[in-house]
Amino acid sequence: MIEYDKDAIVPPYITEYLRGEIPPHHGILKELEEYAAEHEIPIIQPETAQFLKVIGSIIRPHDILEVGAAIGYSSILMADTLADGGKIVTMEYDGDMARIARENIRRAGLYDTITLAEGDAKDLMPNIGGQYDMIFLDGPKAHYIYMLNDCLRLLRPGGVLIADNVLYKGMTADDGHVIRRKITIVKRLRHFVSALYARSELTTSVLPLGDGITISVKNKEKV
Ligand SMILES: C[S@@+](CC[C@H](N)C(=O)[O-])C[C@H]1O[C@@H](n2cnc3c(N)ncnc32)[C@H](O)[C@@H]1O
């Protein structure tokens, strides 16, 4: 029996149905799912994992940037969708997580494909260069809004920005759901969602999937 968060934004019977249909992972991804469950490490939910696989398979990105590696689960999962010779840069500021992620990346045979940048994404983002086909924000929720300009700078035209946990157990959508100590994160997530819709360079959709996910495409110039 799956344990459901009582504050989940999707009713448990829908989640149970969806999770029952998604083909299970094997090998290292399965191992990491078990490790994360045992050690209460918040990796992406199965529906979100499936969503990333579909988007990645549509884009076939050559370059992916991720904020929030944890134990490396989502970067190892996304590596499967890369174009030939493609690369992932993933950021993590917790030293223990970074060490475990590096070890998992090595065990997955992806040492040359995934680079873990250890440090605070707030400091790393303004200093990173390159152009990315896909950016996945899954780190500090309160700082998504401050990373938006850098994401726009780093995204190729036609590139896709995805951010997880934007509905934040419903708190982003409704004051009645807000836990007092989370108010700053909630305000900043609301600001982030509004900013995504307001930016003329982006076309955005917010999906009530998992804990809420945004997907934005950086518009190409019309010719
Ligand atoms: C939700 S977990 C990431 C899960 C991962 N994407 C996955 O699904 O496998 C968020 C991670 O972001 C990291 N993090 C939080 N704030 C950060 C920051 N300012 N810079 C870098 N990493 C950060 C946390 O240490 C944590 O490991």
Side-chain angles (χ1 to χ4, degrees):
M1 178 74 185
I2 304 168
E3 265 187 46
Y4 295 101
D5 189 333
K6 66 177 175 34
D7 302 316
I9 61 166
V10 178
Y13 76 98
I14 302 278
T15 303
E16 180 150 22
Y17 167 70
L18 294 178
R19 290 189 187 174
E21 290 295 314
I22 295 172
H25 288 128
H26 304 283
I28 190 153
L29 288 175
K30 184 175 186 314
E31 256 181 60
L32 297 191
E33 286 161 5
E34 288 167 358
Y35 182 91
E38 193 186 329
H39 295 86
E40 297 187 0
I41 294 164
I43 60 168
I44 46 170
Q45 299 182 13
E47 312 82 274
T48 310
Q50 194 63 17
F51 177 77
L52 288 181
K53 284 206 265 184
V54 171
I55 297 299
S57 300
I58 294 169
I59 307 174
R60 283 280 169 227
H62 192 275
D63 294 282
I64 297 178
L65 177 64
E66 177 182 63
V67 176
I71 56 172
Y73 174 78
S74 50
S75 54
I76 291 170
L77 176 121
M78 289 189 290
D80 231 18
T81 71
L82 287 169
D84 280 353
K87 304 274 184 214
I88 297 179
V89 175
T90 182
M91 298 177 181
E92 177 56 56
Y93 76 168
D94 180 307
D96 290 334
M97 290 283 181
R99 186 180 46 75
I100 298 168
R102 278 202 191 93
E103 176 59 17
N104 289 331
I105 289 164
R106 192 194 56 75
R107 284 200 304 126
L110 292 166
Y111 197 77
D112 295 331
T113 302
I114 303 175
T115 301
L116 191 136
E118 190 172 340
D120 191 327
K122 283 175 265 168
D123 304 325
L124 296 173
M125 283 296 270
N127 296 309
I128 193 169
Q131 288 280 277
Y132 295 85
D133 306 295
M134 187 165 156
I135 300 179
F136 179 46
L137 297 183
D138 194 23
K141 315 303 162 195
H143 287 273
Y144 287 179
I145 182 65
Y146 303 121
M147 294 178 185
L148 183 53
N149 282 338
D150 281 314
C151 287
L152 276 158
R153 173 177 61 82
L154 293 165
L155 264 187
R156 286 203 174 95
V160 168
L161 170 64
I162 297 172
D164 197 14
N165 307 103
V166 290
L167 291 176
Y168 210 49
K169 300 181 189 301
M171 289 187 259
T172 310
D174 175 44
D175 281 342
H177 284 78
V178 176
I179 301 167
R180 225 181 142 75
R181 68 190 153 81
K182 301 282 187 186
I183 189 72
T184 302
I185 300 178
V186 171
K187 280 185 180 164
R188 291 186 188 173
L189 280 172
R190 287 177 182 171
H191 189 181
F192 176 68
V193 171
S194 302
L196 288 177
Y197 280 125
R199 295 294 293 243
S200 59
E201 308 96 309
L202 294 174
T203 303
T204 292
S205 178
V206 182
L207 305 173
L209 175 88
D211 193 28
I213 199 157
T214 59
I215 177 163
S216 309
V217 60
K218 182 172 175 182
N219 300 321
K220 291 182 181 165
E221 297 264 326
K222 285 196 178 132
V223 282

